[in-house]
Amino acid sequence: MAKPSVAVAEASGVPAQASCSCPCPGTTLFPYPPPRGASGIAAAAVRRKCLQAEVGGGACWGVESMRASSPTHARAAAALAGAGADEEEERAAWMARHPSALGKFERIVAASEGRRIVMFLDYDGTLSPIVDDPDAAFMSETMRMAVRSVAKHFPTAIVSGRCRDKVFGFVKLAELYYAGSHGMDIKGPAKASSSRHEKAKVTHHRLAYSSIVVTLLTFIQPNRTKLTGKRSPVPTGNGERVPAHDRGCARAPGRDDAQHTRGQGGEQQVLRLRPLQMRRRKDVGRAVGVGEGRSAGVPQAAADAGADGAGGAAHHQVGQGQGARVPARVARLRGLHQRPARVHRRRPHRRGRLQGAAAPGPGPRRRHPGVQAPQGDQRLLLAPGARRGDGVLAAARRVEAPLQAESDAMRRSTQRTKLTDAAKCQLVGCV
Ligand SMILES: O=P(O)(O)OC[C@H]1O[C@H](O[C@H]2O[C@H](CO)[C@@H](O)[C@H](O)[C@H]2O)[C@H](O)[C@@H](O)[C@@H]1O
């Protein structure tokens, strides 16, 4: 449940949204951070009324109640209550630079110009409070009702670094999309929502498209056993262990729970690649490492650029190191031994194994040598028909191109459709 100390808008004195039968204050009139001194009881009453209206078919889309029960909102309000003038000013400046999407919701709706809106929600720290025990990060019933209400109007997805099952276990709403393991594991609604968006087709592809960047970056992390879902008995190359509650989930490289809690560096960290490891698999007798030893990674500038938005990072030349090593036997099989050999001297203890390894030239089979997929992991990312050895980027582009085409086609068809005002309203749920 939302904490009694949570301050939401004043119960009185704020006019209701004109087009909205819900008793919640209008979004733009609902200041963030909320005004101090609001009575907790009055606030709870407003929230309850709002929920009743929303759940009973009201017209606020659940956004207000979601905001009111947001743990971040609660924390901000609590922090504000005890803050000095300087802190308050600093916070206000920060908020001005990072406005809440919920606070701008009407503008978002207006800017959508009748296009469909899809809600992507984070779980930890957004729908649930940050708590010490990750297994106890429960969401409140109030929040659940709010999300359910939102999902009646918009296709709604929860995107999390946690396992999909774990997130579902917390949220327990079958009508949502769930993208677990940073988007590597996506599932659509098990039951159709009795919503207006039912007729509108939102495919897995669209979700997959938006998560392709994180998928890529997660894919090339060093500890591939996490990616294949096999438990790793050993720490990763970085001395990091997978927390017990996350075993079997993929984790983005560099993701660290403490940073997540502090709310800093998360995205940046996700985009900063760690050195990738080279392993030799005895069973197949060939190298299956992803990428290259020392210098593999996204150049910082590229990582910075990618941090701004989803699309960009997919086009980074990830994993471009010094050229991947190919064991001599594989090189012979591929005819690479005819190319000028390059002996790697950086890891002398491995020389025995890697001696004679050839740096692959730009041959047809290794267009992206730095990011060749381990055999066991290819099913996670490669598009149907992709050939082993093509490299992750090539595979991703194959996935991306049709998705982009599909998305363009959908956009064109939406633009062509002449919507009446009523139809527009239905689409955005503002009847
Ligand atoms: O959904 P994300 O924003 O990608 O976060 C995923 C991580 O969430 C969990 O950790 C965070 O919440 C915990 C419970 O409140 C908290 O104890 C931890 O400090 C936070 O980092 C989850 O435990 C992680 O494994 C996920 O990666």
Side-chain angles (χ1 to χ4, degrees):
M1 295 298 288
K3 291 174 191 150
S5 61
V6 175
V8 296
E10 313 284 4
S12 59
V14 185
Q17 200 177 341
S19 61
C20 175
S21 62
C22 165
C24 279
T27 307
T28 50
L29 298 166
F30 198 3
Y32 189 95
R36 283 205 260 171
S39 136
I41 295 170
V46 171
R47 198 163 48 240
R48 215 170 24 248
K49 269 191 180 174
C50 182
L51 272 173
Q52 278 160 6
E54 286 165 2
V55 172
C60 278
W61 315 316
V63 171
E64 290 300 341
S65 45
M66 187 178 287
R67 174 161 48 176
S69 45
S70 153
T72 318
H73 181 84
R75 229 185 7 250
L80 203 63
D86 281 356
E87 268 179 279
E88 204 168 316
E89 209 171 287
E90 200 180 308
R91 188 166 197 87
W94 192 92
M95 287 306 300
R97 286 198 308 276
H98 306 92
S100 157
L102 292 179
K104 302 276 178 198
F105 199 69
E106 281 167 345
R107 280 178 59 183
I108 293 171
V109 169
S112 75
E113 291 172 337
R115 294 190 200 104
R116 257 180 307 122
I117 291 177
V118 181
M119 283 284 204
F120 293 89
L121 303 169
D122 182 28
Y123 184 74
D124 287 280
T126 303
L127 299 181
S128 72
I130 292 288
V131 292
D132 287 341
D133 177 5
D135 287 327
F138 302 109
M139 72 192 272
S140 69
E141 196 49 44
T142 312
M143 180 61 88
R144 186 168 294 107
M145 284 170 76
V147 175
R148 184 182 286 132
S149 173
V150 164
K152 282 188 180 149
H153 301 284
F154 308 113
T156 302
I158 314 271
V159 186
S160 174
R162 290 181 183 256
C163 291
R164 184 169 51 76
D165 289 350
K166 269 257 154 101
V167 183
F168 180 79
F170 283 126
V171 180
K172 298 191 181 85
L173 294 173
E175 58 268 46
L176 309 184
Y177 288 81
Y178 289 88
S181 298
H182 299 286
M184 288 186 72
D185 185 12
I186 300 171
K187 201 167 175 211
K191 91 173 186 205
S193 161
S194 57
S195 65
R196 298 181 187 126
H197 76 257
E198 229 173 279
K199 291 175 199 150
K201 193 181 161 206
V202 174
T203 62
H204 277 181
H205 278 174
R206 294 193 107 190
L207 276 172
Y209 181 66
S210 60
S211 65
I212 197 161
V213 174
V214 276
T215 306
L216 256 179
L217 293 170
T218 307
F219 182 85
I220 53 182
Q221 70 161 325
N223 189 354
R224 72 183 196 85
T225 53
K226 287 182 206 162
L227 296 172
T228 53
K230 290 173 198 154
R231 294 181 180 200
S232 172
V234 291
T236 68
N238 309 295
E240 170 194 57
R241 279 179 191 274
V242 189
H245 67 279
D246 265 357
R247 297 259 163 86
C249 292
R251 282 168 74 77
R255 186 70 182 227
D256 128 358
D257 281 0
Q259 268 171 346
H260 182 76
T261 310
R262 286 195 303 273
Q264 41 180 263
E267 298 312 309
Q268 191 69 11
Q269 283 297 319
V270 167
L271 290 163
R272 192 174 299 136
L273 304 183
R274 287 180 176 163
L276 304 174
Q277 295 171 345
M278 192 67 186
R279 301 228 177 97
R280 187 184 174 89
R281 256 181 44 180
K282 289 193 179 126
D283 49 348
V284 291
R286 65 188 204 86
V288 295
V290 282
E292 176 55 30
R294 284 243 194 145
S295 62
V298 177
Q300 192 55 51
D304 290 342
D308 291 334
H315 303 290
H316 292 159
Q317 290 298 306
V318 288
Q320 281 187 334
Q322 304 130 0
R325 298 160 191 160
V326 183
R329 198 162 69 83
V330 179
R332 269 199 304 282
L333 284 171
R334 293 180 178 179
L336 293 172
H337 62 289
Q338 288 163 1
R339 299 178 196 281
R342 190 163 102 194
V343 178
H344 292 265
R345 298 198 172 83
R346 304 213 168 189
R347 297 164 79 175
H349 61 286
R350 295 207 166 195
R351 267 184 88 178
R353 281 197 230 160
L354 295 168
Q355 212 154 23
R365 305 191 65 165
R366 292 184 67 83
R367 266 174 262 146
H368 299 281
V371 288
Q372 186 176 11
Q375 189 177 28
D377 295 339
Q378 287 189 5
R379 67 191 160 79
L380 292 172
L381 187 65
L382 297 194
R387 289 161 307 172
R388 185 174 345 130
D390 276 358
V392 174
L393 283 182
R397 282 185 190 128
R398 268 201 208 96
V399 175
E400 195 176 351
L403 289 174
Q404 185 62 57
E406 185 202 13
S407 145
D408 290 347
M410 284 175 95
R411 196 175 320 116
R412 277 197 298 274
S413 102
T414 311
Q415 279 162 357
R416 272 200 304 272
T417 311
K418 293 248 183 283
L419 295 168
T420 63
D421 284 350
K424 265 187 195 162
C425 253
Q426 262 216 329
L427 218 54
V428 297
C430 63
V431 180

